[in-house]
Amino acid sequence: MTIDQRGSTGDQDRVPALLDQIAGLELPEAEQPVFERSVGDEVQGVVGDASAVVEIALHALRGGHWYVGIGVGTVVLPPHASPREGTGTAFVAARKAVELAKGGSQVPLSVVPGIMAGEAAKGFAAGEGVQACANAEAVLRLLGRLVQDRTEAQWRVVDALRRLGGRGQGQGRHGSQKHVALELGISEQSVSRTVLRSGWQEEWAARPAASMLLGFADSRVGQAEEDVPAQQPMTVQQQVPAQQKPAARLDVEADRIEGDT
């Protein structure tokens, strides 16, 4: 993933705060992905779990300060190494994705497959990978619109629901809403109305779809790379333990050149 700060020339440096926030997220991976400043006000990280990609991407979109690029492909990264030391198609795709995210969409997020331009026509898997990335991007942009449009009052309720009632569709509907009302000093009816207006339940119902599409895209892009003789990045079936990891990569960026990847 590559994540680049929006309007950084006239704004404060938000990279340290974002890095702390990502490190504090409760992610499904056994090992917390490492994100770091790549150059300027750009953040880079390698994420191996699709649901973790969704969580990080939506968190970045929440504040409205970031362009989010997700590159789906292969990653070659030594154990405990910096993401800046990695190579593979996901890095190039993430760079392209963050640039596309700057193209004027109301939700500045893009998903790009690590497949060269002419390769999508060379095989069924490649075509499926390209389409799955487009589908994942569409769902993530819809979710991002819900996240971006929430008011501060709605976020107070949603954050309390996650903290007190756990995560996932259906959680926070009953007993935890009562607890949220007590904590925030508002009525249960107010909590219920806020949940309805915030799109909280719709978000959590759709998150698994976004994760599924990203995971499917990763599998098809990896298969497409196997089928192209000119490319030899190792896929998940070929990986060396603790050395290579296919991943969706998120780009929150401050103008990093493609050669750096």
Side-chain angles (χ1 to χ4, degrees):
M1 292 182 80
T2 298
I3 306 170
D4 183 25
Q5 187 172 337
R6 303 172 68 179
S8 56
T9 56
D11 195 5
Q12 67 189 65
D13 181 5
R14 298 181 181 274
V15 167
L18 180 66
L19 292 175
D20 288 343
Q21 290 162 13
I22 292 175
L25 294 175
E26 294 183 15
L27 301 177
E29 288 191 291
E31 182 177 345
Q32 189 84 359
V34 174
F35 276 76
E36 63 183 16
R37 187 194 298 267
S38 52
V39 62
D41 53 0
E42 172 186 295
V43 173
Q44 180 183 77
V46 176
V47 188
D49 184 273
S51 58
V53 172
V54 172
E55 175 70 25
I56 296 168
L58 294 180
H59 180 82
L61 291 173
R62 169 177 175 170
H65 300 296
W66 302 98
Y67 298 104
V68 178
I70 302 172
V72 179
T74 55
V75 169
V76 179
L77 188 66
H80 311 297
S82 161
R84 288 177 291 179
E85 300 176 62
T87 60
T89 62
F91 290 90
V92 178
R95 164 61 43 215
K96 182 178 180 181
V98 80
E99 294 302 326
L100 290 174
K102 300 175 183 179
S105 170
Q106 288 185 305
V107 180
L109 174 147
S110 186
V111 181
V112 171
I115 300 174
M116 300 302 290
E119 291 171 7
K122 290 185 179 181
F124 184 68
E128 283 194 324
V130 171
Q131 186 60 56
C133 283
N135 292 340
E137 178 181 285
V139 174
L140 283 168
R141 284 185 174 181
L142 287 172
L143 289 171
R145 188 67 179 270
L146 284 174
V147 166
Q148 289 182 161
D149 288 350
R150 282 188 188 135
T151 65
E152 287 300 319
Q154 289 171 346
W155 273 117
R156 282 195 294 273
V157 170
V158 167
D159 287 340
L161 280 169
R162 292 194 68 175
R163 183 173 63 255
L164 298 176
R167 295 184 289 180
Q169 180 188 7
Q171 298 189 29
R173 289 183 179 177
H174 302 297
S176 60
Q177 288 195 11
K178 180 177 181 179
H179 298 153
V180 168
L182 290 172
E183 178 178 291
L184 299 181
I186 59 179
S187 68
E188 288 185 58
Q189 291 79 9
S190 294
V191 172
S192 181
R193 286 195 299 269
T194 300
V195 168
L196 182 64
R197 292 169 181 169
S198 70
W200 160 258
Q201 293 171 355
E202 290 79 7
E203 176 193 339
W204 282 93
R207 276 185 178 229
S211 300
M212 179 188 68
L213 288 167
L214 283 173
F216 180 70
D218 184 48
S219 70
R220 303 315 286 160
V221 170
Q223 181 63 49
E225 290 171 348
E226 269 191 328
D227 293 340
V228 178
Q231 283 191 298
Q232 297 302 326
M234 300 183 82
T235 63
V236 64
Q237 293 84 5
Q238 299 171 313
Q239 65 177 311
V240 177
Q243 289 187 340
Q244 300 188 38
K245 188 177 186 180
R249 171 186 162 177
L250 243 185
D251 267 289
V252 180
E253 185 266 341
D255 299 332
R256 171 180 176 199
I257 62 172
E258 184 169 320
D260 288 342
T261 60

